[in-house]
Amino acid sequence: MSKPVIATASLAGCFGCHMSILDIDERILDLIELVEFNKSPVDDIKTFTKMCDVGIIEGGCCNSENVHVLKDFRKNCGILVSLGECAIMGGLPALRNGIPIKECLEEAYLHGPTIEKGNKIIPNDDELPMILDRVYPCHEIVKIDYFIPGCPPRADLIWDALVSLVKGTPMNLAYETVKYD
Amino acid sequence: MKLSLETIIDQYRADPTRLMDILLDIQSAKGRIGRTAIDLIAKKCKISVVDVEQTVSFYHFFSTEPRGRYTVYLNNSVVAKMMGSEKIARAFEKEAGCTFGSVSSDGLIGLFETSCIGMNDQEPSAIINNVVFPNLTVHSVKKIIEGMRKGKKVSELQTVKPGDGNNGSKLLTTAISNNIRKKGPVIFSEYKQGEVVKALTTLTPQVIIYTMKKSGLRGRGGAGFPVGLKWELCRKSAGDKKYIFCNADEGEPGTFKDRVILTERPQLLFEGMAAAGFAVGSDQGILYLRFEYYYLKEYLEAILDDMRKKKLLGKNIAGRSGFNFTIRIQFGAGAYICGEESALIESAEGKRGEPRDRPPFPVNKGYLGRPTVINNVETLCAAAKILLFGEDWYRSLGTPQSTGTKVLSISGDCLYPGIYEIAWGSTIGEILEMAGAEKVQAVLVGGPSGSFVGPAQFNRKLCYEDLATGGSFIIFNESRDLLKDAVLNFTEFFIEESCGSCAPCRFMTVILKNKLEKLLHGKGVAQDLVDLEKWSSIMQANRCGLGQTAANPIRTTLSNFNHLYTVLIRTNDDFVSEFDLKSAVADSCAVAGRKPMLHGA
Ligand SMILES: Cc1cc2nc3c(=O)[nH]c(=O)nc-3n(C[C@H](O)[C@H](O)[C@H](O)COP(=O)(O)O)c2cc1C
Ligand code: SF4
Ligand code: SF4
């Protein structure tokens, strides 16, 4: 039987969740035995080359490109997992959600203290992704099958979740892993 | 003459624990609490500016910006809307020339919304400059605004006659009605001022506590804690000073019984507080009164004065040497959470109304760190009557575990909204009949933190053994859209009123509301119902009763009115998103001056 195929992406995240994937230390060697990676920053494959079994998403959606990538993942992955607070809730980037986007952009590009004189423009190149009115958690845009909590989720938790997913075994979420307050 | 900021602060000896009073006085004298005031308070009271600011920003009735010479607070609760408050709101906007949440350009009239103001039996109603205007009509709104333009005093704006009972008395003269529909043997039965404290002179604290325990009296504020035990715990708790608080915050939407008790039986309440003080060894009582009932201030203070003159309060009460007890009134400033006992204490100490972690419980470490008893208005009145007529008399009323009577506040779709003092153990059906309610779809027992029940359960009894309640009883007839008109509004109420300390209370409420809206927009799928059910159970993890019950409107309708949800879901889809790229990027593209590119996204 061929190995399960995994894809990962970082949307509006800080890459901390991906770092936490790497934090499984030497188990990464077991992981390579267990699964095959497709589109992912881990192996730098930029486009899907086949259908994947599991897609892992870090970060929510703050711009049109995030939405595009997320939908692409939904199309190409059997199971989609939100990894970490940003994917699940919007996380830190969602702090801007209470402020109208116009104010955010003006503060960042026109009125902020670090703006150079005479250089004031809100980026408007057509090549740039369009900014969304707020940061959306992934499950508000596509169906998400599983959520792994944490900021970032602990490496052990990611490892357990992945092993359970690819082996189809039940997963034990200890109380401390879901209680944060 | 208007008082200066300095004078106001000095009146309370610049005591930071009296910050609420200082702020209330400044708000009323100046129409707002501005920068200068905040800085001066911080300096004089020797607290940080942030300490002042956080209290100012916590309460609905404090504002840093002017809210108009006449400030209208229109009730936006469920029953107000059922009785037509939307129409009244539009009339106010039309006549005043500004929208809700703003002040007219000439600074004359400010229009604001507020949560339930305890007038459910006479909605739509509003509070204007601390005066309550019940039973508003489009016509009366017109008259009121005309009066404002002529510069009339707010008392002259009232278009209806004073209400019944003491509402018409000289110190009150309010248009509010009592609407007492059924008097019971405990709270609204005959009573002569002074008889309780006189009866006390022959009793010892131990006997009083024993009597309370034997009577089976439990707290009427909602939680039902045994009164005798609470008093005993406080009595046994070491402390150089102890306090008796009467909780008259009455914030649960749909309750208004404490307002009527305060109008018709204030002396009984004050004697009940004195009895509690005598039993636990406290000489200081504080009535924590919600700001919505500010109109009662002069009236209650006059009664306290009178009782002091008659030696029914003060030193050596009723001639018993060493029986000392005084009472002062502490006002809130609009915050439902301040009804929760530890939040109430925080508020009375001049802080944000954030519940404390417990233990320690107030009986050990309450107001100013001293042992404190907090009881509801009705509880203290019942306690006073028990001391007059004995525990056996009290036990003969009600059911074995729910002794005595309960005062209900009945509102919504019925012919006779108002106050009913019933024996515990009455069924919902019997009560509906009394209230003249027909074609009933649902009853909300115990307010939004209680349960929605349907006709299949109308044989259930109101009592601790079956359906416990703090007394709010809201009736919805078959014409009402229960989810949209009630459940959604109540969920928004909890979002507004959460103090924000606990994560699930702060954001799960919002997530649940968004889900509910998704369902109401016709975008819901089966999974959404599973999520609602599962996620609302997380609310148990919150620190206080507000958060723990904030999902009750959703939970209890999910279980008792499941059909209302199932008809909303799309059975052919397993996922539906409400996300719309076009509208999500519209604003950012507009401000950047670029054309949205929507293809391929
Ligand atoms: C959010 C919240 C609001 C409350 N509001 C009130 C209230 O308005 N009046 C009241 O008497 N008790 C209220 N309570 C209950 C009080 O915490 C406390 O149990 C009660 O005042 C104790 O008095 P009792 O034993 O006489 O009922 C509230 C509780 C919570 C959690
Ligand atoms: S959840 Fe935390 S670690 Fe992961 S992307 Fe967001 S901020 Fe970074
Ligand atoms: S449950 Fe809600 S209201 Fe209660 S303490 Fe927590 S955040 Fe505040």
Side-chain angles (χ1 to χ4, degrees):
Chain A
M1 199 185 84
S2 63
K3 288 195 272 185
V5 188
I6 291 190
T8 75
S10 174
L11 307 179
C14 74
F15 258 94
C17 288
H18 271 79
M19 289 300 140
S20 202
I21 297 178
L22 298 181
D23 223 16
I24 57 179
D25 300 329
E26 75 285 356
R27 279 172 293 184
I28 194 127
L29 299 175
D30 301 335
L31 189 63
I32 298 301
E33 288 300 311
L34 207 59
V35 301
E36 169 191 334
F37 273 87
N38 199 269
K39 178 177 158 78
S40 167
V42 174
D43 56 12
D44 215 19
I45 298 180
K46 305 277 194 217
T47 48
F48 283 106
T49 56
K50 55 163 106 167
M51 267 303 283
C52 298
D53 298 290
V54 181
I56 298 175
I57 307 288
E58 162 190 327
C61 292
C62 76
N63 64 33
S64 55
E65 200 226 348
N66 296 155
V67 175
H68 178 77
V69 173
L70 182 60
K71 287 185 172 169
D72 203 27
F73 263 71
R74 184 68 274 182
K75 252 185 246 144
N76 288 284
C77 302
I79 291 171
L80 213 51
V81 181
S82 272
L83 178 68
E85 176 63 18
C86 293
I88 297 175
M89 286 287 197
L92 210 63
L95 278 181
R96 77 159 161 97
N97 284 6
I99 306 166
I101 187 63
K102 184 167 182 286
E103 273 178 48
C104 288
L105 290 171
E106 287 176 349
E107 179 66 17
Y109 295 107
L110 304 183
H111 311 311
T114 57
I115 308 296
E116 276 180 49
K117 276 211 181 74
N119 219 356
K120 297 182 179 179
I121 183 170
I122 295 177
N124 58 6
D125 195 298
D126 276 348
E127 291 295 311
L128 294 171
M130 298 169 289
I131 309 289
L132 307 182
D133 55 345
R134 61 182 175 91
V135 180
Y136 292 79
C138 295
H139 64 265
E140 285 190 16
I141 293 182
V142 299
K143 182 168 172 23
I144 298 289
D145 303 292
Y146 296 100
F147 302 85
I148 305 180
C151 176
R154 291 185 295 136
D156 289 345
L157 190 65
I158 300 176
W159 172 255
D160 288 352
L162 275 180
V163 172
S164 303
L165 260 182
V166 297
K167 292 196 169 165
T169 49
M171 155 143 196
N172 179 26
L173 268 176
Y175 181 62
E176 307 81 69
T177 58
V178 290
K179 183 186 181 296
Y180 289 95
D181 220 37
Chain B
M1 196 199 78
K2 282 197 172 173
L3 294 174
S4 76
L5 291 174
E6 297 259 355
T7 327
I8 292 174
I9 300 169
D10 289 340
Q11 255 173 15
Y12 299 98
R13 300 173 314 282
D15 178 356
T17 70
R18 298 300 296 273
L19 185 58
M20 288 295 282
D21 307 85
I22 295 173
L23 294 174
L24 282 162
D25 285 4
I26 292 178
Q27 178 78 43
S28 116
K30 311 282 172 195
R32 67 165 177 152
I33 301 160
R35 188 74 271 150
T36 334
I38 290 176
D39 290 343
L40 190 70
I41 296 169
K43 195 166 136 227
K44 289 192 69 122
C45 297
K46 300 195 174 63
I47 49 180
S48 72
V49 168
V50 177
D51 282 332
V52 185
E53 281 174 342
Q54 63 175 354
T55 298
V56 172
S57 66
F58 190 81
Y59 298 90
H60 298 312
F61 294 108
F62 291 148
S63 63
T64 50
E65 295 304 319
R67 287 193 173 166
R69 264 190 36 228
Y70 300 95
T71 315
V72 177
Y73 289 100
L74 182 68
N75 181 358
N76 68 4
S77 76
V78 168
V79 171
K81 288 198 170 152
M82 282 161 61
M83 301 301 145
S85 68
E86 295 281 1
K87 232 170 59 194
I88 300 301
R90 298 297 82 78
F92 267 117
E93 288 184 334
K94 182 165 162 252
E95 300 298 329
C98 63
T99 54
F100 268 83
S102 72
V103 179
S104 63
S105 52
D106 55 2
L108 187 70
I109 304 165
L111 300 180
F112 299 89
E113 291 190 347
T114 193
S115 304
C116 186
I117 61 171
M119 304 290 156
N120 257 10
D121 55 339
Q122 38 211 306
E123 289 296 339
S125 63
I127 301 175
I128 306 176
N129 294 12
N130 307 344
V131 176
V132 179
F133 289 73
N135 294 317
L136 289 168
T137 61
V138 171
H139 178 72
S140 65
V141 168
K142 216 171 150 174
K143 289 270 169 238
I144 289 167
I145 302 265
E146 270 173 27
M148 291 177 181
R149 296 219 191 281
K150 287 187 189 135
K152 284 191 180 173
K153 277 202 259 166
V154 67
S155 55
E156 297 163 3
L157 296 175
Q158 200 66 267
T159 56
V160 273
K161 288 198 187 71
D164 55 352
N166 289 340
N167 291 301
S169 72
K170 236 173 85 198
L171 281 165
L172 263 180
T173 355
T174 162
I176 298 165
S177 302
N178 289 329
N179 292 328
I180 302 175
R181 310 279 183 183
K182 185 171 165 29
K183 288 189 177 181
V186 180
I187 306 295
F188 292 112
S189 55
E190 288 305 308
Y191 150 79
K192 279 200 291 297
Q193 170 175 312
E195 56 185 349
V196 182
V197 288
K198 279 171 197 151
L200 284 182
T201 54
T202 61
L203 302 174
T204 63
Q206 287 76 7
V207 169
I208 295 175
I209 287 171
Y210 177 82
T211 309
M212 286 305 133
K213 283 186 161 177
K214 280 279 169 202
S215 74
L217 175 62
R218 297 167 66 161
R220 297 297 193 244
F225 194 84
V227 173
L229 180 59
K230 188 182 277 187
W231 291 11
E232 183 178 50
L233 289 170
C234 187
R235 176 163 186 83
K236 287 186 175 160
S237 184
D240 55 343
K241 181 138 179 116
K242 296 180 184 179
Y243 294 96
I244 306 295
F245 270 77
C246 171
N247 187 343
D249 195 56
E250 189 151 76
E252 186 79 34
T255 12
F256 43 88
K257 55 152 185 118
D258 293 343
R259 180 196 86 218
V260 177
I261 299 175
L262 285 162
T263 306
E264 294 304 318
R265 292 287 181 273
Q267 295 92 341
L268 179 65
L269 168 66
F270 296 144
E271 291 193 61
M273 288 175 76
F278 187 70
V280 310
S282 155
D283 63 359
Q284 176 70 61
I286 297 176
L287 172 68
Y288 186 96
L289 189 54
R290 69 188 309 219
F291 185 78
E292 288 82 346
Y293 297 165
Y294 199 82
Y295 73 94
L296 289 169
K297 182 172 189 273
E298 272 181 51
Y299 170 69
L300 293 177
E301 277 173 351
I303 288 168
L304 285 173
D305 253 356
D306 179 60
M307 289 178 72
R308 264 187 294 262
K309 279 192 197 114
K310 293 183 173 137
K311 298 265 177 226
L312 303 173
L313 286 174
K315 285 223 154 60
N316 304 324
I317 294 173
R320 179 161 180 163
S321 108
F323 180 12
N324 305 333
F325 197 76
T326 56
I327 297 175
R328 77 169 173 89
I329 302 176
Q330 173 68 61
F331 277 97
Y336 165 58
I337 188 59
C338 289
E340 194 281 337
E341 55 184 19
S342 62
L344 181 148
I345 293 174
E346 287 283 301
S347 173
E349 290 178 359
K351 292 176 273 184
R352 294 160 55 86
E354 263 181 39
R356 296 176 175 173
D357 270 329
R358 281 160 299 168
F361 292 95
V363 283
N364 296 318
K365 213 164 174 280
Y367 181 61
L368 304 177
R370 307 305 208 300
T372 302
V373 160
I374 300 169
N375 276 130
N376 175 256
V377 174
E378 186 186 347
T379 313
L380 289 159
C381 289
K385 282 290 177 73
I386 292 168
L387 292 174
L388 283 180
F389 301 116
E391 68 268 23
D392 293 335
W393 162 78
Y394 196 71
R395 292 202 76 89
S396 71
L397 308 163
T399 73
Q401 280 173 56
S402 318
T403 53
T405 62
K406 177 76 195 109
V407 182
L408 298 181
S409 314
I410 299 186
S411 65
D413 295 315
C414 62
L415 288 175
Y416 315 111
I419 294 296
Y420 294 72
E421 184 184 349
I422 55 144
W424 282 113
S426 308
T427 67
I428 295 179
E430 286 161 8
I431 295 163
L432 287 173
E433 201 174 313
M434 264 192 286
E438 279 173 6
K439 300 203 168 144
V440 179
Q441 177 186 188
V443 178
L444 178 58
V445 179
S449 65
S451 330
F452 278 95
V453 294
Q457 301 188 54
F458 285 175
N459 56 352
R460 290 185 68 181
K461 292 182 168 138
L462 294 191
C463 55
Y464 295 106
E465 297 93 316
D466 190 357
L467 260 178
T469 174
S472 171
F473 192 99
I474 304 179
I475 303 164
F476 299 88
N477 70 22
E478 288 162 357
S479 75
R480 305 292 175 185
D481 184 339
L482 213 53
L483 299 190
K484 191 157 145 282
D485 297 341
V487 176
L488 184 63
N489 178 303
F490 286 133
T491 307
E492 285 168 347
F493 166 78
F494 286 120
I495 292 171
E496 179 68 28
E497 298 297 333
S498 163
C499 85
S501 281
C502 316
C505 180
R506 191 172 63 241
F507 65 68
M508 186 54 81
T509 42
V510 179
I511 291 173
L512 294 174
K513 178 196 145 217
N514 290 347
K515 271 244 182 267
L516 188 59
E517 281 182 325
K518 185 181 173 206
L519 285 160
L520 290 168
H521 296 160
K523 299 268 178 74
V525 295
Q527 182 64 35
D528 288 320
L529 296 191
V530 179
D531 291 346
L532 275 182
E533 179 94 48
K534 249 174 132 168
W535 296 356
S536 57
S537 68
I538 294 170
M539 300 295 282
Q540 286 309 313
N542 286 308
R543 188 193 303 160
C544 87
L546 188 152
Q548 286 158 1
T549 59
N552 280 8
I554 289 175
R555 294 181 82 164
T556 61
T557 44
L558 264 176
S559 57
N560 296 337
F561 296 87
N562 198 261
H563 58 280
L564 297 179
Y565 289 90
T566 45
V567 298
L568 293 176
I569 62 176
R570 298 192 186 193
T571 42
N572 296 329
D573 299 300
D574 72 339
F575 181 82
V576 176
S577 169
E578 282 205 283
F579 179 74
D580 172 40
L581 186 67
K582 189 173 165 201
S583 61
V585 299
D587 285 353
S588 75
C589 287
V591 57
R594 62 186 281 198
K595 229 172 99 193
M597 306 219 291
L598 300 168
H599 52 269

